Coordinates of all heavy atoms in Angstrom, one line a residue:
M19 N -36.1 189.9 -3.4 CA -34.7 190.1 -3.5 C -34.1 189.4 -4.7 O -34.6 188.3 -5.1 CB -33.9 189.6 -2.3 CG -34.1 190.4 -1.1 SD -32.9 189.8 0.1 CE -33.3 190.9 1.4
T20 N -33.1 190.0 -5.3 CA -32.5 189.3 -6.4 C -31.1 188.8 -6.0 O -30.5 189.4 -5.1 CB -32.3 190.2 -7.6 OG1 -31.5 191.3 -7.2 CG2 -33.7 190.7 -8.1
E21 N -30.7 187.8 -6.6 CA -29.4 187.2 -6.3 C -28.5 187.2 -7.5 O -28.9 186.8 -8.6 CB -29.6 185.7 -5.8 CG -28.4 185.1 -5.3 CD -28.7 183.7 -4.7 OE1 -29.7 183.6 -4.0 OE2 -28.0 182.8 -5.0
A22 N -27.3 187.8 -7.3 CA -26.4 187.9 -8.4 C -25.7 186.5 -8.6 O -25.5 185.8 -7.7 CB -25.4 189.0 -8.1
Y23 N -25.3 186.3 -9.9 CA -24.6 185.1 -10.2 C -23.1 185.3 -10.1 O -22.6 186.3 -10.7 CB -25.0 184.6 -11.7 CG -24.2 183.4 -12.1 CD1 -24.5 182.2 -11.7 CD2 -23.1 183.6 -13.0 CE1 -23.7 181.1 -12.1 CE2 -22.3 182.6 -13.4 CZ -22.6 181.3 -13.0 OH -21.9 180.3 -13.4
H24 N -22.4 184.5 -9.4 CA -21.0 184.7 -9.2 C -20.3 183.5 -9.8 O -20.5 182.4 -9.4 CB -20.6 184.8 -7.7 CG -21.2 186.0 -7.1 ND1 -20.8 187.3 -7.3 CD2 -22.2 186.1 -6.2 CE1 -21.5 188.2 -6.6 NE2 -22.4 187.5 -5.9
A25 N -19.5 183.7 -10.8 CA -18.7 182.6 -11.4 C -17.6 182.3 -10.5 O -17.0 183.1 -9.8 CB -18.2 183.0 -12.8
N26 N -17.3 181.0 -10.4 CA -16.2 180.6 -9.5 C -14.9 181.0 -10.1 O -14.8 181.2 -11.3 CB -16.3 179.1 -9.1 CG -16.4 178.2 -10.3 OD1 -16.1 178.6 -11.4 ND2 -16.8 177.0 -10.0
S27 N -13.8 181.0 -9.4 CA -12.5 181.5 -9.8 C -11.9 180.6 -10.9 O -11.1 181.1 -11.7 CB -11.6 181.6 -8.7 OG -11.4 180.4 -8.1
T28 N -12.3 179.4 -11.0 CA -11.7 178.5 -12.0 C -12.4 178.6 -13.3 O -11.9 178.0 -14.3 CB -11.7 177.0 -11.5 OG1 -13.0 176.6 -11.3 CG2 -10.9 176.9 -10.3
G29 N -13.5 179.2 -13.4 CA -14.3 179.3 -14.6 C -15.1 178.0 -14.9 O -15.8 177.9 -15.9
A30 N -15.1 177.1 -14.0 CA -15.9 175.8 -14.2 C -17.3 176.1 -13.9 O -17.7 177.1 -13.2 CB -15.3 174.7 -13.3
A31 N -18.2 175.2 -14.3 CA -19.6 175.3 -14.1 C -19.9 175.1 -12.6 O -19.2 174.3 -11.9 CB -20.4 174.3 -14.9
S32 N -20.8 175.8 -12.1 CA -21.2 175.6 -10.7 C -22.0 174.4 -10.5 O -22.5 173.8 -11.5 CB -22.0 176.9 -10.2 OG -23.2 176.9 -10.8
G33 N -22.3 174.0 -9.3 CA -23.2 172.8 -9.0 C -24.6 173.0 -9.6 O -25.2 172.0 -10.1
D34 N -25.1 174.2 -9.6 CA -26.4 174.4 -10.1 C -26.5 174.2 -11.6 O -27.4 173.7 -12.2 CB -26.9 175.8 -9.8 CG -27.2 176.0 -8.3 OD1 -27.5 175.0 -7.6 OD2 -27.2 177.2 -7.8
D35 N -25.4 174.7 -12.3 CA -25.3 174.5 -13.7 C -25.2 173.0 -14.1 O -25.8 172.6 -15.1 CB -24.1 175.2 -14.3 CG -24.3 176.8 -14.2 OD1 -25.4 177.2 -14.1 OD2 -23.2 177.4 -14.3
E36 N -24.5 172.3 -13.3 CA -24.3 170.8 -13.6 C -25.6 170.1 -13.4 O -26.0 169.2 -14.1 CB -23.2 170.2 -12.7 CG -21.8 170.7 -13.1 CD -20.8 170.3 -12.1 OE1 -21.1 169.6 -11.1 OE2 -19.6 170.7 -12.2
G37 N -26.4 170.5 -12.3 CA -27.7 169.9 -12.0 C -28.7 170.2 -13.1 O -29.5 169.4 -13.6
A38 N -28.6 171.5 -13.6 CA -29.6 171.9 -14.7 C -29.2 171.1 -16.0 O -30.1 170.7 -16.7 CB -29.5 173.4 -15.0
A39 N -27.9 170.9 -16.3 CA -27.5 170.2 -17.5 C -27.9 168.7 -17.3 O -28.4 168.1 -18.3 CB -26.0 170.3 -17.7
A40 N -27.8 168.1 -16.1 CA -28.2 166.8 -15.9 C -29.7 166.6 -16.1 O -30.2 165.6 -16.7 CB -27.8 166.3 -14.6
A41 N -30.5 167.5 -15.6 CA -31.9 167.5 -15.7 C -32.3 167.6 -17.1 O -33.3 166.9 -17.6 CB -32.6 168.6 -14.9
L42 N -31.7 168.5 -17.9 CA -32.0 168.6 -19.3 C -31.7 167.4 -20.1 O -32.4 166.9 -21.0 CB -31.2 169.8 -19.9 CG -31.5 170.2 -21.4 CD1 -33.0 170.5 -21.5 CD2 -30.6 171.3 -21.8
G43 N -30.5 166.7 -19.8 CA -30.2 165.5 -20.4 C -31.2 164.4 -20.1 O -31.6 163.6 -21.0
I44 N -31.6 164.3 -18.9 CA -32.7 163.3 -18.5 C -34.0 163.6 -19.3 O -34.6 162.7 -19.8 CB -32.9 163.3 -17.0 CG1 -31.6 162.7 -16.3 CG2 -34.1 162.5 -16.6 CD1 -31.6 162.8 -14.8
A45 N -34.4 164.8 -19.3 CA -35.6 165.2 -20.0 C -35.5 164.9 -21.5 O -36.5 164.4 -22.1 CB -35.9 166.7 -19.8
K46 N -34.4 165.1 -22.1 CA -34.3 164.7 -23.5 C -34.4 163.3 -23.8 O -35.0 162.8 -24.8 CB -32.9 165.2 -24.1 CG -32.9 166.7 -24.2 CD -31.6 167.2 -24.8 CE -31.6 168.7 -25.0 NZ -30.3 169.1 -25.6
W47 N -33.9 162.4 -22.9 CA -34.0 161.0 -23.1 C -35.3 160.5 -22.6 O -35.8 159.5 -23.1 CB -32.9 160.3 -22.3 CG -31.6 160.4 -23.1 CD1 -30.6 161.2 -22.8 CD2 -31.2 159.7 -24.2 NE1 -29.6 161.1 -23.7 CE2 -29.9 160.1 -24.6 CE3 -31.8 158.7 -25.0 CZ2 -29.2 159.6 -25.7 CZ3 -31.1 158.2 -26.1 CH2 -29.9 158.7 -26.5
L48 N -36.0 161.2 -21.7 CA -37.3 160.8 -21.2 C -38.4 160.9 -22.3 O -39.3 160.1 -22.3 CB -37.7 161.6 -20.0 CG -39.0 161.2 -19.2 CD1 -38.8 159.8 -18.7 CD2 -39.2 162.2 -18.1
C49 N -38.2 161.7 -23.3 CA -39.1 161.9 -24.3 C -39.2 160.6 -25.2 O -40.2 160.4 -25.9 CB -38.8 163.1 -25.2 SG -37.3 162.9 -26.2
L50 N -38.2 159.7 -25.1 CA -38.2 158.4 -25.8 C -39.2 157.4 -25.1 O -39.6 156.5 -25.7 CB -36.8 157.8 -25.9 CG -35.8 158.5 -26.7 CD1 -34.5 157.9 -26.6 CD2 -36.3 158.5 -28.2
A51 N -39.6 157.7 -23.9 CA -40.5 156.8 -23.2 C -41.9 156.8 -23.6 O -42.7 155.8 -23.5 CB -40.4 157.0 -21.7
A52 N -42.4 157.9 -24.2 CA -43.8 158.1 -24.5 C -44.3 157.1 -25.6 O -45.3 156.4 -25.4 CB -44.1 159.5 -25.0
T53 N -43.6 156.9 -26.7 CA -44.0 156.1 -27.8 C -44.2 154.6 -27.3 O -45.3 154.0 -27.6 CB -43.1 156.2 -29.0 OG1 -43.1 157.5 -29.5 CG2 -43.5 155.2 -30.1
P54 N -43.2 154.0 -26.7 CA -43.4 152.6 -26.3 C -44.5 152.5 -25.2 O -45.2 151.5 -25.2 CB -42.0 152.1 -25.8 CG -41.2 153.3 -25.7 CD -41.8 154.4 -26.5
T55 N -44.6 153.5 -24.4 CA -45.6 153.4 -23.3 C -47.0 153.4 -23.9 O -47.8 152.5 -23.5 CB -45.5 154.6 -22.4 OG1 -44.2 154.6 -21.8 CG2 -46.5 154.6 -21.3
F56 N -47.3 154.3 -24.9 CA -48.6 154.3 -25.5 C -48.8 153.0 -26.3 O -50.0 152.5 -26.4 CB -48.8 155.6 -26.3 CG -49.0 156.8 -25.5 CD1 -48.2 157.9 -25.6 CD2 -50.1 156.9 -24.7 CE1 -48.4 159.0 -24.9 CE2 -50.4 158.0 -23.9 CZ -49.5 159.1 -24.0
A57 N -47.8 152.5 -27.0 CA -48.0 151.3 -27.8 C -48.3 150.1 -26.9 O -49.2 149.3 -27.2 CB -46.7 151.0 -28.6
I58 N -47.7 150.0 -25.7 CA -48.0 148.9 -24.8 C -49.4 149.1 -24.2 O -50.1 148.1 -24.1 CB -46.9 148.9 -23.6 CG1 -45.6 148.4 -24.2 CG2 -47.4 148.0 -22.5 CD1 -44.4 148.6 -23.3
M59 N -49.8 150.4 -23.9 CA -51.1 150.6 -23.4 C -52.2 150.2 -24.5 O -53.2 149.6 -24.2 CB -51.3 152.0 -23.0 CG -50.5 152.4 -21.8 SD -50.4 154.1 -21.4 CE -52.1 154.5 -21.0
A60 N -51.9 150.5 -25.8 CA -52.8 150.1 -26.8 C -52.9 148.6 -26.9 O -54.0 148.0 -27.1 CB -52.4 150.7 -28.2
L61 N -51.8 147.9 -26.9 CA -51.7 146.4 -26.9 C -52.5 145.8 -25.8 O -53.3 144.9 -25.9 CB -50.3 145.9 -27.0 CG -50.1 144.4 -27.1 CD1 -50.6 143.9 -28.4 CD2 -48.6 144.1 -26.9
M62 N -52.2 146.3 -24.6 CA -52.9 145.8 -23.4 C -54.4 146.0 -23.4 O -55.2 145.2 -23.0 CB -52.3 146.3 -22.1 CG -50.9 145.8 -21.9 SD -50.2 146.5 -20.4 CE -51.2 145.8 -19.1
T63 N -54.8 147.2 -23.9 CA -56.2 147.5 -23.9 C -56.9 146.7 -25.0 O -58.0 146.2 -24.8 CB -56.4 149.0 -24.3 OG1 -55.8 149.8 -23.3 CG2 -57.9 149.4 -24.3
G64 N -56.2 146.4 -26.1 CA -56.8 145.6 -27.2 C -56.9 144.1 -26.7 O -57.9 143.5 -27.0
V65 N -55.9 143.6 -26.0 CA -55.9 142.2 -25.6 C -56.8 142.0 -24.4 O -57.6 141.1 -24.3 CB -54.5 141.8 -25.3 CG1 -54.5 140.4 -24.7 CG2 -53.7 141.8 -26.6
L66 N -56.7 142.9 -23.4 CA -57.4 142.7 -22.1 C -58.8 143.3 -22.1 O -59.6 143.0 -21.2 CB -56.6 143.2 -21.0 CG -55.2 142.6 -20.8 CD1 -54.5 143.3 -19.7 CD2 -55.3 141.1 -20.5
G67 N -59.0 144.2 -23.1 CA -60.3 144.9 -23.1 C -60.2 146.2 -22.2 O -59.3 146.4 -21.5
G68 N -61.2 147.0 -22.4 CA -61.2 148.3 -21.7 C -61.6 148.2 -20.2 O -61.3 149.1 -19.5
G69 N -62.3 147.2 -19.8 CA -62.7 147.0 -18.4 C -63.7 148.1 -18.0 O -64.6 148.4 -18.7
P70 N -63.4 148.7 -16.9 CA -64.4 149.7 -16.3 C -64.5 150.9 -17.2 O -65.5 151.6 -17.2 CB -63.8 150.1 -15.0 CG -62.8 149.0 -14.6 CD -62.4 148.4 -15.9
M71 N -63.5 151.2 -18.1 CA -63.6 152.4 -18.9 C -64.7 152.2 -20.0 O -65.3 153.2 -20.5 CB -62.3 152.7 -19.6 CG -61.2 153.2 -18.7 SD -61.7 154.7 -17.8 CE -61.7 155.8 -19.1
D72 N -65.0 151.0 -20.3 CA -66.1 150.7 -21.3 C -67.4 151.2 -20.8 O -68.3 151.5 -21.6 CB -66.1 149.2 -21.7 CG -65.0 148.8 -22.6 OD1 -64.5 149.7 -23.3 OD2 -64.7 147.6 -22.7
M73 N -67.6 151.1 -19.5 CA -68.9 151.6 -18.9 C -69.1 153.1 -19.1 O -70.2 153.6 -19.1 CB -69.0 151.2 -17.5 CG -69.2 149.7 -17.3 SD -69.5 149.3 -15.6 CE -67.9 149.2 -14.9
L74 N -67.9 153.8 -19.1 CA -68.0 155.3 -19.2 C -68.4 155.7 -20.6 O -69.1 156.8 -20.8 CB -66.7 155.9 -18.8 CG -66.3 155.8 -17.3 CD1 -65.0 156.3 -17.1 CD2 -67.4 156.4 -16.4
C75 N -67.9 155.0 -21.7 CA -68.2 155.4 -23.0 C -68.6 154.2 -23.9 O -67.9 153.8 -24.7 CB -67.1 156.2 -23.6 SG -65.5 155.4 -23.4
P76 N -69.8 153.7 -23.6 CA -70.2 152.5 -24.4 C -70.7 152.7 -25.8 O -70.9 151.8 -26.6 CB -71.3 151.9 -23.5 CG -71.9 153.1 -22.8 CD -70.8 154.0 -22.6
A77 N -70.9 154.0 -26.1 CA -71.5 154.3 -27.5 C -70.5 154.0 -28.6 O -70.9 153.9 -29.7 CB -71.9 155.8 -27.5
G78 N -69.2 154.0 -28.3 CA -68.2 153.9 -29.4 C -67.9 152.5 -29.8 O -67.0 152.2 -30.6
H79 N -68.7 151.5 -29.4 CA -68.3 150.1 -29.7 C -68.6 149.7 -31.2 O -68.0 148.8 -31.7 CB -69.1 149.1 -28.8 CG -68.6 149.1 -27.4 ND1 -67.4 148.6 -27.1 CD2 -69.1 149.6 -26.3 CE1 -67.2 148.8 -25.8 NE2 -68.2 149.4 -25.3
G80 N -69.4 150.5 -31.9 CA -69.7 150.1 -33.3 C -68.8 150.7 -34.3 O -68.5 150.1 -35.3
A81 N -68.2 151.9 -34.0 CA -67.3 152.5 -34.9 C -65.9 152.0 -34.8 O -65.4 151.6 -33.7 CB -67.3 154.0 -34.7
A82 N -65.2 151.9 -35.9 CA -63.8 151.4 -35.9 C -62.8 152.3 -35.4 O -61.7 151.9 -34.8 CB -63.4 151.0 -37.3
L83 N -63.0 153.6 -35.5 CA -62.0 154.6 -35.0 C -62.3 155.3 -33.7 O -61.8 156.3 -33.4 CB -61.8 155.7 -36.1 CG -61.2 155.2 -37.4 CD1 -61.1 156.3 -38.4 CD2 -59.8 154.6 -37.2
T84 N -63.1 154.6 -32.9 CA -63.4 155.2 -31.6 C -62.9 154.2 -30.5 O -62.7 153.0 -30.8 CB -64.9 155.4 -31.4 OG1 -65.6 154.2 -31.6 CG2 -65.4 156.5 -32.4
G85 N -62.7 154.7 -29.3 CA -62.2 153.8 -28.3 C -60.8 154.1 -27.9 O -60.2 155.0 -28.4
M86 N -60.3 153.4 -26.9 CA -59.0 153.7 -26.3 C -57.9 153.1 -27.2 O -56.8 153.8 -27.2 CB -59.0 153.0 -24.9 CG -60.0 153.6 -23.9 SD -59.8 155.4 -23.8 CE -58.3 155.6 -22.8
V87 N -58.1 152.0 -27.8 CA -56.9 151.5 -28.6 C -56.5 152.4 -29.7 O -55.3 152.8 -29.9 CB -57.3 150.1 -29.2 CG1 -56.2 149.6 -30.1 CG2 -57.5 149.1 -28.1
P88 N -57.5 153.0 -30.6 CA -57.0 153.9 -31.6 C -56.4 155.2 -31.0 O -55.5 155.8 -31.5 CB -58.3 154.2 -32.4 CG -59.2 153.1 -32.1 CD -58.9 152.6 -30.7
M89 N -56.9 155.6 -29.8 CA -56.4 156.8 -29.2 C -54.9 156.6 -28.8 O -54.1 157.4 -29.0 CB -57.2 157.2 -28.0 CG -56.9 158.5 -27.4 SD -55.9 158.7 -25.9 CE -56.3 157.3 -24.9
Y90 N -54.7 155.4 -28.2 CA -53.3 155.1 -27.8 C -52.4 154.9 -29.0 O -51.2 155.4 -28.9 CB -53.2 153.8 -26.9 CG -53.8 154.0 -25.5 CD1 -54.6 153.0 -25.0 CD2 -53.6 155.1 -24.8 CE1 -55.1 153.1 -23.7 CE2 -54.1 155.2 -23.5 CZ -54.8 154.2 -23.0 OH -55.3 154.4 -21.7
M91 N -52.9 154.4 -30.0 CA -52.1 154.2 -31.3 C -51.7 155.6 -31.8 O -50.6 155.9 -32.3 CB -52.8 153.4 -32.3 CG -52.9 151.9 -31.9 SD -51.4 151.1 -31.6 CE -50.8 150.9 -33.2
L92 N -52.7 156.5 -31.8 CA -52.5 157.9 -32.3 C -51.5 158.6 -31.4 O -50.6 159.3 -31.9 CB -53.8 158.6 -32.4 CG -53.8 160.1 -32.9 CD1 -53.2 160.1 -34.3 CD2 -55.1 160.7 -32.8
M93 N -51.6 158.5 -30.1 CA -50.7 159.1 -29.2 C -49.3 158.6 -29.4 O -48.3 159.3 -29.4 CB -51.1 158.9 -27.8 CG -52.4 159.6 -27.4 SD -52.3 161.4 -27.6 CE -51.2 161.8 -26.3
S94 N -49.2 157.3 -29.7 CA -47.9 156.7 -30.0 C -47.3 157.2 -31.2 O -46.1 157.5 -31.3 CB -48.0 155.1 -30.1 OG -46.8 154.5 -30.3
A95 N -48.1 157.4 -32.3 CA -47.6 158.0 -33.5 C -47.2 159.5 -33.3 O -46.1 159.9 -33.9 CB -48.6 157.9 -34.6
V96 N -48.0 160.2 -32.6 CA -47.7 161.6 -32.4 C -46.4 161.8 -31.6 O -45.6 162.7 -31.9 CB -48.8 162.3 -31.6 CG1 -48.4 163.6 -31.0 CG2 -50.1 162.4 -32.4
H97 N -46.1 160.9 -30.7 CA -44.8 161.0 -29.9 C -43.6 160.3 -30.5 O -42.7 160.0 -29.8 CB -45.1 160.6 -28.5 CG -46.0 161.5 -27.7 ND1 -45.6 162.7 -27.2 CD2 -47.3 161.4 -27.4 CE1 -46.6 163.3 -26.6 NE2 -47.6 162.5 -26.7
S98 N -43.7 159.9 -31.8 CA -42.6 159.1 -32.3 C -41.5 159.9 -32.9 O -40.5 159.3 -33.3 CB -43.2 158.2 -33.4 OG -43.7 159.0 -34.5
A99 N -41.6 161.2 -32.9 CA -40.5 162.1 -33.5 C -39.1 161.8 -32.9 O -38.1 161.7 -33.6 CB -40.9 163.5 -33.4
P100 N -39.0 161.7 -31.6 CA -37.7 161.5 -31.0 C -37.1 160.1 -31.5 O -35.9 160.0 -31.7 CB -37.9 161.5 -29.5 CG -39.1 162.3 -29.3 CD -40.0 162.0 -30.5
W101 N -37.9 159.1 -31.6 CA -37.4 157.8 -32.1 C -37.0 157.9 -33.5 O -36.0 157.3 -33.9 CB -38.5 156.8 -32.0 CG -38.6 156.2 -30.6 CD1 -39.5 156.6 -29.6 CD2 -37.8 155.3 -29.9 NE1 -39.3 155.9 -28.5 CE2 -38.2 155.1 -28.6 CE3 -36.6 154.6 -30.4 CZ2 -37.6 154.3 -27.7 CZ3 -36.0 153.7 -29.5 CH2 -36.5 153.6 -28.2
L102 N -37.7 158.7 -34.4 CA -37.3 158.8 -35.8 C -36.0 159.6 -35.9 O -35.2 159.2 -36.7 CB -38.4 159.5 -36.5 CG -39.8 158.8 -36.6 CD1 -40.8 159.6 -37.2 CD2 -39.6 157.4 -37.3
R103 N -35.8 160.6 -35.0 CA -34.5 161.3 -35.0 C -33.4 160.4 -34.6 O -32.3 160.4 -35.2 CB -34.6 162.5 -34.1 CG -35.3 163.7 -34.8 CD -35.0 165.0 -34.0 NE -35.5 165.0 -32.6 CZ -36.7 165.4 -32.3 NH1 -37.5 165.9 -33.2 NH2 -37.1 165.3 -31.0
L104 N -33.7 159.6 -33.6 CA -32.6 158.7 -33.1 C -32.2 157.7 -34.2 O -31.1 157.4 -34.4 CB -33.1 157.9 -31.8 CG -32.2 156.9 -31.2 CD1 -31.0 157.7 -30.6 CD2 -32.9 156.2 -30.1
I105 N -33.2 157.1 -34.8 CA -33.0 156.1 -35.9 C -32.2 156.8 -37.1 O -31.3 156.2 -37.6 CB -34.3 155.5 -36.4 CG1 -34.8 154.6 -35.2 CG2 -34.1 154.7 -37.6 CD1 -36.3 154.1 -35.5
S106 N -32.6 158.0 -37.4 CA -32.0 158.6 -38.6 C -30.5 159.0 -38.2 O -29.7 158.9 -39.1 CB -32.8 159.8 -39.0 OG -32.3 161.0 -38.6
S107 N -30.3 159.4 -37.0 CA -28.9 159.7 -36.6 C -28.0 158.5 -36.6 O -26.9 158.6 -36.9 CB -28.9 160.5 -35.3 OG -29.2 159.6 -34.2
Q108 N -28.6 157.4 -36.2 CA -27.8 156.1 -36.1 C -27.5 155.7 -37.6 O -26.4 155.2 -37.8 CB -28.6 155.0 -35.4 CG -28.8 155.3 -34.0 CD -27.5 155.4 -33.2 OE1 -26.6 154.6 -33.4 NE2 -27.5 156.3 -32.3
R109 N -28.4 155.9 -38.5 CA -28.1 155.5 -39.9 C -27.1 156.4 -40.5 O -26.3 156.0 -41.4 CB -29.4 155.5 -40.7 CG -30.2 154.3 -40.3 CD -31.4 154.2 -41.3 NE -32.1 153.0 -41.0 CZ -33.2 152.6 -41.6 NH1 -33.6 153.3 -42.7 NH2 -33.8 151.5 -41.3
S110 N -27.1 157.7 -40.2 CA -26.2 158.6 -40.8 C -24.8 158.6 -40.1 O -23.9 159.1 -40.7 CB -26.8 160.1 -40.8 OG -26.8 160.5 -39.4
G111 N -24.8 158.0 -38.9 CA -23.5 157.9 -38.2 C -23.1 159.2 -37.5 O -22.0 159.4 -37.1
D112 N -24.1 160.1 -37.3 CA -23.8 161.4 -36.7 C -24.3 161.3 -35.3 O -25.5 161.6 -35.0 CB -24.4 162.5 -37.4 CG -24.1 163.9 -36.9 OD1 -23.2 164.0 -36.0 OD2 -24.7 164.9 -37.3
P113 N -23.5 161.0 -34.3 CA -24.0 160.9 -32.9 C -24.4 162.2 -32.2 O -25.0 162.3 -31.2 CB -22.8 160.3 -32.1 CG -21.6 160.7 -32.9 CD -22.1 160.8 -34.4
S114 N -24.0 163.4 -32.9 CA -24.3 164.7 -32.3 C -25.8 165.0 -32.4 O -26.3 165.9 -31.8 CB -23.5 165.7 -32.9 OG -23.8 165.9 -34.2
V115 N -26.5 164.3 -33.3 CA -27.9 164.6 -33.5 C -28.9 163.6 -32.9 O -30.0 163.5 -33.3 CB -28.2 164.7 -35.1 CG1 -29.5 165.4 -35.4 CG2 -27.1 165.3 -35.8
V116 N -28.4 162.9 -31.9 CA -29.2 161.8 -31.3 C -30.5 162.4 -30.8 O -31.6 162.0 -31.2 CB -28.4 161.1 -30.2 CG1 -29.3 160.1 -29.5 CG2 -27.2 160.4 -30.8
I117 N -30.5 163.3 -29.8 CA -31.7 163.8 -29.2 C -31.6 165.3 -29.2 O -30.6 165.9 -28.8 CB -31.9 163.3 -27.8 CG1 -32.0 161.8 -27.8 CG2 -33.1 163.9 -27.2 CD1 -33.2 161.2 -28.4
R118 N -32.6 166.0 -29.7 CA -32.6 167.4 -29.7 C -34.1 167.9 -29.7 O -34.9 167.1 -30.1 CB -31.9 168.1 -30.8 CG -32.5 167.8 -32.1 CD -31.8 168.4 -33.3 NE -32.5 167.9 -34.4 CZ -32.5 168.3 -35.6 NH1 -31.8 169.4 -35.8 NH2 -33.2 167.8 -36.6
R119 N -34.3 169.0 -29.2 CA -35.7 169.5 -29.1 C -35.8 170.7 -30.0 O -35.0 171.5 -30.3 CB -36.0 169.9 -27.7 CG -36.3 168.6 -27.0 CD -37.0 169.0 -25.7 NE -37.7 167.7 -25.3 CZ -38.7 167.7 -24.6 NH1 -39.3 168.8 -24.2 NH2 -39.3 166.6 -24.3

């Protein structure tokens, strides 16, 4: 069955629209969490060592670009675009460009 959308008489957004807008706002800000999370994971892995994960892939200990620390650093760099947009919008003084996808 299909359900028709009925606008309320005042023309205001329905509760579903407000919930969707809130979820979208949270998702836009949640994308800022990836970069610091991966950076902290890289730092902790580098300081504390890989632990049990080293037993799964011991062959990479000789090469400089293998292992979990470089992977976390790369993931941190890949997910840095929202932070760069946030910083550039703060410098330009345009708050409308803070977060966008």
Side-chain angles (χ1 to χ4, degrees):
M19 286 190 180
T20 61
E21 188 173 313
Y23 174 78
H24 299 287
N26 55 16
S27 60
T28 61
S32 70
D34 290 339
D35 291 340
E36 291 171 2
L42 183 60
I44 290 170
K46 286 182 179 181
W47 284 100
L48 187 61
C49 67
L50 292 172
T53 297
T55 300
F56 284 122
I58 290 169
M59 290 169 70
L61 181 66
M62 290 180 65
T63 303
V65 171
L66 302 175
M71 290 303 292
D72 283 341
M73 289 188 276
L74 294 176
C75 46
H79 290 291
L83 294 177
T84 59
M86 297 305 287
V87 174
M89 191 258 324
Y90 288 140
M91 294 300 288
L92 179 62
M93 293 298 290
S94 182
V96 166
H97 290 283
S98 66
W101 281 100
L102 296 174
R103 279 194 298 268
L104 180 66
I105 291 167
S106 101
S107 72
Q108 294 297 319
R109 287 190 177 181
S110 69
D112 185 10
S114 66
V115 196
V116 173
I117 302 293
R118 63 180 175 162
R119 283 194 158 208

